[in-house]
Amino acid sequence: HCEGGTTAARGEVHIENPAPPAELGLGLDIALAGTASSLNGKATFHGTVSCDKPVRVTVAGDVTQVKKRDLIRGSFSTTVSCTPGAPVAWTGTAVPTGSVPFQKGDVEVEGRATATDPDYDRPVTVAETVAVRLTRV
């Protein structure tokens, strides 16, 4: 300080950044049993999703079945609100793309669960492929 002014203030500044939030964790479970409708030929699947942050989750997938030389395919998509702490149930219905309906027996389900991480604004996807046994309803 100059010319008799007040003394200068002195001190330290400490800046700490907290650890960044964890990335969104998603889980997908596809039940091993589903149904094939005798009325409209659609196949219905179900399962659960889990998350460690509250998010909207889209569960989508592709279904393939081979019956008597026929290749039967379809897709499904549904959206659920996931909250941390307990698995959330989902149900999806696949419409066959051709003229042959889904039938009782085994199908391959390739499922994907996708949500946007609210802290990082980017999509997170988990996938699972399982053999599901369809029963006729």
Side-chain angles (χ1 to χ4, degrees):
H1 60 283
C2 299
E3 301 173 359
T6 57
T7 57
R10 296 177 190 256
E12 295 179 5
V13 175
H14 294 273
I15 298 175
E16 278 189 36
N17 285 328
E23 291 186 12
L24 172 63
L26 280 181
L28 171 64
D29 180 51
I30 301 171
L32 301 180
T35 60
S37 172
S38 58
L39 295 175
N40 58 24
K42 297 176 182 178
T44 301
F45 309 93
H46 66 279
T48 59
V49 292
S50 56
C51 57
D52 57 8
K53 299 178 186 182
V55 289
R56 298 275 300 159
V57 180
T58 298
V59 180
D62 299 305
V63 183
T64 305
Q65 184 178 43
V66 177
K67 282 290 189 177
K68 298 180 183 175
R69 297 186 186 171
D70 288 319
L71 183 61
I72 309 161
R73 293 180 185 239
S75 298
F76 66 93
S77 181
T78 188
T79 302
V80 295
S81 292
C82 186
T83 53
V88 176
W90 61 267
T91 299
T93 300
V95 178
T97 57
S99 60
V100 180
F102 285 106
Q103 301 165 35
K104 72 177 183 176
D106 290 336
V107 297
E108 181 180 81
V109 178
E110 297 177 53
R112 298 170 302 283
T114 303
T116 300
D117 188 320
D119 294 314
Y120 298 102
D121 195 32
R122 64 178 172 229
V124 174
T125 300
V126 294
E128 181 175 276
T129 300
V130 297
V132 174
R133 169 127 351 230
L134 297 181
T135 57
R136 201 66 141 157
V137 292

